[in-house]
Amino acid sequence: MTPPFPPQPTLAPRTPPGRGDAAVARAALALSIALAFGAVVLPSSDARAHTRSVSYSSWKLDDGGARVKVRIPRLELTRIALDAPPDDPTLAARAAAYLAERLVARSGGVDGPLCEAQGPPEQRSADEGWAAFAWRVVCPGGPPAAIETNVLLDVAPSHLHFARVARTDGRVSERVLTEAEPAWALPAAEAGPPGASPARAEEPALRSLARYVGLGVEHILSGWDHLAFVLALVLLAPALGEVARVVTGFTIAHSVTLALAVLGYVHPQAAAVEAMIGFSVALVAAENTWSHAGRGRSVPVLAVVALALCAAVALGGRSAVGAVPLVGLAVFTACHFALLARTRRPARVRAMLAFAFGLVHGFGFAGVLAEMALPAERLAPALFGFNVGVEIGQIAVVAAAWPLLRMLRRIGDGSAHRWVVDAASAGICGLGIFWFVTRAFGGA
């Protein structure tokens, strides 16, 4: 009977690994598992590697001030009081007071006097995992002229706050407020002739597009799991053509699902998507070490058995992914390694893998834009700009990594390149396992 994962000498790397290299690769894989285990047991570890710290506010301006509504993930509320668990009954009240103090409006411009909150914030109904609060601010002399945030910036400097403002003249605008740009000066309402409809002039199109491009760049450069996946894919690429195919497949796939999710055609479960992204990182990195170790059966068998055990645990309802999808991942993993072990063109298989998991990563990219609840007429430019920004950031990372890998491949007999690939794959695989386990079972 033919074994399911027979070693194929024709698939060896361009510089075939010796016995010592295979031992190093196996040790690297073992190290990656140890790193993952260590990360799981550390209490300070954070599984939300690419899920940015975010909050949202909507402001409806009127002649005397504005009505404010804020949405923030419940998990983010624990940053306000790090010693308080998410189910602390006093956490909501403290969070409401905190938000009203840190998210403010000003009269007369960004340096003008503060508008005063009229009464304490009220908690509102929100989707599962979110908290919502509303209050009114009163400003002397008319509607607010500026909005300023300091929400979570002292404990999470990379926090993003998405503000949406409906002005008295009918204009609706959005702005992303960050530590670098925490204040937003609102243009004055435009007066029109008597009886005329309210003006609806928006922020200049190019400026708005540039903001979403910048948001996409920032999102991908802080999305460590996305970058880890792309880097793991290009570590073994022997030629620039293979790099181009892998990156193109990933780009096309995540662009499709990003658009589908933001436009509301599909509504994936965020927790399952996050876990799948972690799995994709671990699988590709494990494949790298498997290739250098001589393509034996131990790595595929270990991966399939581990996924089967995860599926057994999930039968008790203790997983964000579910038992059936985990069984599907086990079958997918077995088929993927079996195909790689038999094909003479592994580059094509890796390109297909990049496309398949790119579909999953696209849902992860969509989270930021989808939560902004942009009006229909602003979705297209926002989606285009954000996707362009993601690609710019992704290409920049590949452009920085590929020449270094190419140079290492040409040094001596290639042993330096193999050591770097093994070490990098070990670390990436460990992170992928950690992300997968904590995201799939961390909320159990």
Side-chain angles (χ1 to χ4, degrees):
M1 179 177 178
T2 303
F5 307 106
Q8 295 290 329
T10 57
L11 294 179
R14 182 165 293 184
T15 303
R19 185 173 301 175
D21 291 324
V24 169
R26 294 190 187 98
L29 185 61
L31 175 61
S32 70
I33 297 174
L35 289 172
F37 177 78
V40 169
V41 300
L42 286 176
S44 61
S45 298
D46 188 352
R48 299 169 300 156
H50 106 279
T51 305
R52 292 295 301 269
S53 175
V54 295
S55 57
Y56 302 84
S57 67
S58 60
W59 302 72
K60 187 175 182 180
L61 309 190
D62 55 47
D63 292 336
R67 186 71 181 172
V68 190
K69 184 175 181 181
V70 179
R71 293 187 303 123
I72 186 169
R74 287 189 175 276
L75 194 58
E76 294 294 336
L77 298 182
T78 59
R79 295 181 185 267
I80 299 170
L82 298 179
D83 58 339
D87 56 351
D88 187 336
T90 68
L91 189 58
R94 282 184 288 167
Y98 172 91
L99 292 171
E101 179 184 352
R102 299 294 187 98
L103 183 62
V104 299
R106 294 182 180 270
S107 298
V110 294
D111 297 321
L114 290 173
C115 301
E116 295 185 3
Q118 191 178 54
E122 302 173 355
Q123 188 169 6
R124 297 297 178 86
S125 61
D127 295 336
E128 184 179 358
W130 289 81
F133 305 92
W135 66 93
R136 176 173 169 74
V137 295
V138 178
C139 306
I147 294 173
E148 183 178 346
T149 181
N150 192 27
V151 173
L152 296 176
L153 293 181
D154 52 343
V155 294
S158 62
H159 181 81
L160 302 180
H161 181 79
F162 298 86
R164 183 182 182 191
V165 172
R167 299 182 178 87
T168 56
D169 59 7
R171 288 179 294 170
V172 178
S173 300
E174 302 86 24
R175 182 67 62 89
V176 181
L177 303 180
T178 65
E179 183 185 34
E181 191 178 3
W184 178 16
L186 306 176
E190 299 180 358
S197 300
R200 298 194 61 83
E202 300 288 350
E203 181 181 39
L206 287 179
R207 183 181 301 175
S208 177
L209 180 64
R211 290 188 182 279
Y212 285 110
V213 170
L215 178 61
V217 171
E218 186 176 6
H219 188 69
I220 184 64
L221 292 182
S222 62
W224 299 110
D225 44 6
H226 298 302
L227 295 179
F229 178 74
V230 174
L231 181 59
L233 281 171
V234 302
L235 279 175
L236 288 186
L240 188 59
E242 182 174 336
V243 174
R245 284 192 293 272
V246 165
V247 173
T248 299
F250 183 67
T251 296
I252 293 174
H254 76 62
S255 297
V256 170
T257 48
L258 170 62
L260 290 175
V262 172
L263 295 175
Y265 291 109
V266 290
H267 303 279
Q269 295 182 4
V273 168
E274 295 293 328
M276 286 285 290
I277 289 173
F279 170 77
S280 70
V281 174
L283 178 64
V284 174
E287 180 191 321
N288 289 346
T289 59
W290 173 75
S291 296
H292 272 191
R295 292 180 171 83
R297 290 183 292 175
S298 58
V299 171
V301 169
L302 178 61
V304 171
V305 170
L307 286 168
L309 292 175
C310 289
V313 173
L315 286 174
R318 299 179 59 84
S319 172
V321 180
V324 173
L326 286 170
V327 170
L329 288 181
V331 174
F332 174 85
T333 300
C335 293
H336 174 66
F337 278 107
L339 180 61
L340 276 175
R342 288 171 169 79
T343 183
R344 294 181 178 275
R345 297 188 176 183
R348 291 189 177 182
V349 177
R350 290 175 70 85
M352 290 188 291
L353 184 73
F355 180 86
F357 281 125
L359 297 173
V360 178
H361 283 248
F363 290 129
F365 287 134
V368 171
L369 283 185
E371 288 294 343
M372 291 181 70
L374 294 172
E377 66 273 12
R378 298 178 68 84
L379 270 177
L383 180 60
F384 176 76
F386 184 80
N387 204 36
V388 168
V390 167
E391 297 316 311
I392 291 174
Q394 179 179 291
I395 291 173
V397 171
V398 173
W402 170 249
L404 295 176
L405 293 170
R406 185 69 174 173
M407 180 183 66
L408 289 171
R409 189 183 290 271
R410 293 179 175 179
I411 294 177
D413 60 354
S415 59
H417 176 264
R418 292 194 297 274
W419 273 95
V420 169
V421 169
D422 287 336
S425 297
I428 292 173
C429 185
L431 286 172
I433 296 173
F434 165 56
W435 288 328
F436 172 68
V437 172
T438 52
R439 294 170 181 180
F441 301 98

